[in-house]
Amino acid sequence: VGINSVSLLGKGFTPLVFQGDTVKKGQPLLKLDLEFLRANTSSLISPITFPSVKEDRLLITTGEEVIAGKNVLVHVKF
């Protein structure tokens, strides 16, 4: 989350789930201290990568503000 935030060594982040946990749709995964992150990172932009998904399998909404509860990605089965 954020550009170059790894240099913060976890400061500003509170994990709410851990490796091996089972999560459900809508469950929060991470709590952020946005004021700390704004002051200590170059950007809050957060890239999302999908290393093993074929390009024609996702419909990605771009250029829109992300709103809680609104889909950003849609899995499309052909």
Side-chain angles (χ1 to χ4, degrees):
V1 175
I3 304 293
N4 296 325
S5 61
V6 70
S7 65
L8 299 175
L9 304 174
K11 294 177 186 168
F13 301 94
T14 303
L16 301 176
V17 296
F18 300 90
Q19 186 172 345
D21 287 355
T22 299
V23 296
K24 296 178 181 178
K25 179 180 178 180
Q27 180 179 346
L29 306 176
L30 183 66
K31 184 176 179 181
L32 308 172
D33 181 340
L34 290 178
E35 292 306 316
F36 178 84
L37 294 172
R38 278 190 188 100
N40 293 282
T41 61
S42 57
S43 174
L44 291 179
I45 291 173
S46 302
I48 301 171
T49 60
F50 300 90
S52 63
V53 176
K54 292 183 179 182
E55 188 175 322
D56 64 349
R57 302 290 183 200
L58 290 177
L59 173 62
I60 302 173
T61 303
T62 60
E64 294 182 23
E65 180 179 353
V66 176
I67 299 170
K70 182 179 176 187
N71 288 339
V72 177
L73 305 172
V74 178
H75 184 238
V76 178
K77 295 180 183 181
F78 292 97

